[in-house]
Amino acid sequence: MTTAVVIGVVMRNLVYYVAASIDGYIADRNGDFSVFPQHPDTLWELFARYPETCPVHAREALGVTGEARRFDAVIMGRRTYQPALDMGLSDGAYPHVTQYVVSHQPLPASSSVRWVNRDPAGFIADLKRQPGKDIWLCGGGELAAQLYDEIDVIQIKVNPILLGEGIPLVRGTTAPLTFEVAESEQLPGGILLATYRRPSS
């Protein structure tokens, strides 16, 4: 885990860790990402690295028991949170970390999901100054656009598939933002794990 230091204060990183197609879509046009291959060896590799990113309904089935290694908080938009509600998971898919959901509408009562109804960029800027591990931005594309200037690391699980259309990695911004290639690694199942980091100021 790499963190930024600002005037002697260690800052948490906001990490956009997400699966995408070769042509840069994180889901099809209906928001469905099940088209991405789910090779068991890939899942084992990814959840061994970051066990906290395994959703609660899959942890027991996959035997994932590890403690959080990189992230202790996750932020997502309402559409990304909705599938958990549809499955009856009122405490969200990741109750083992602090969950923040950005939404204009109130959320169902939950002991582990916190409603963010303010400017998400300002909220994240404040959260990054608080003690803790890195913060995982898990989706979606519109929230990524709102948090554009706060993203420190982009880590993309590039799937060997072209979608042609769908929900882009970032939707709704045109300002260019430069990143440096930090690492590129081949994972089982044909997944390329590409890591990009914002240049140090």
Side-chain angles (χ1 to χ4, degrees):
M1 178 177 67
T2 303
T3 53
V5 179
V6 179
I7 317 179
V9 177
V10 177
M11 299 279 286
R12 304 160 78 182
N13 282 323
L14 178 64
V15 182
Y16 191 13
Y17 176 63
V18 67
S21 63
I22 295 172
D23 47 349
Y25 295 107
I26 61 174
D28 68 17
R29 61 182 178 181
N30 297 315
D32 184 9
F33 51 83
S34 63
V35 67
F36 292 153
Q38 296 289 322
H39 194 287
D41 290 344
T42 306
L43 296 179
W44 277 110
E45 175 69 26
L46 293 172
F47 293 149
R49 293 175 185 228
Y50 312 132
E52 63 272 30
T53 64
C54 182
V56 64
H57 62 277
R59 288 175 73 87
E60 183 175 353
L62 296 175
V64 177
T65 59
E67 298 294 325
R69 298 184 61 191
R70 183 177 189 182
F71 308 110
D72 61 5
V74 57
I75 187 166
M76 67 191 81
R78 176 59 186 257
R79 292 179 184 173
T80 303
Y81 173 58
Q82 187 62 42
L85 293 181
D86 294 343
M87 294 178 65
L89 302 174
S90 59
D91 287 333
Y94 308 100
H96 40 278
V97 298
T98 304
Q99 301 170 96
Y100 299 98
V101 177
V102 179
S103 174
H104 295 298
Q105 301 297 324
L107 305 174
S110 170
S111 60
S112 61
V113 177
R114 302 183 184 181
W115 177 31
V116 178
N117 63 344
R118 53 173 282 201
D119 167 44
F123 173 79
I124 284 295
D126 292 339
L127 190 62
K128 286 165 70 172
R129 296 185 182 94
Q130 298 176 17
K133 298 181 185 295
D134 284 344
I135 305 157
W136 172 27
L137 167 59
C138 73
E142 291 180 2
L143 181 57
Q146 294 178 68
L147 295 175
Y148 202 57
D149 292 329
E150 293 297 332
I151 297 173
D152 302 291
V153 177
I154 299 176
Q155 194 163 39
I156 308 173
K157 296 165 282 187
V158 183
N159 288 261
I161 187 171
L162 292 168
L163 292 184
E165 61 178 354
I167 298 175
L169 193 68
V170 178
R171 177 158 63 183
T173 184
T174 57
L177 189 60
T178 301
F179 282 75
E180 297 174 344
V181 178
E183 189 175 5
S184 179
E185 183 179 356
Q186 183 75 43
L187 299 183
I191 303 298
L192 179 67
L193 186 63
T195 304
Y196 304 88
R197 190 176 304 279
R198 287 186 76 164
S200 300
S201 57

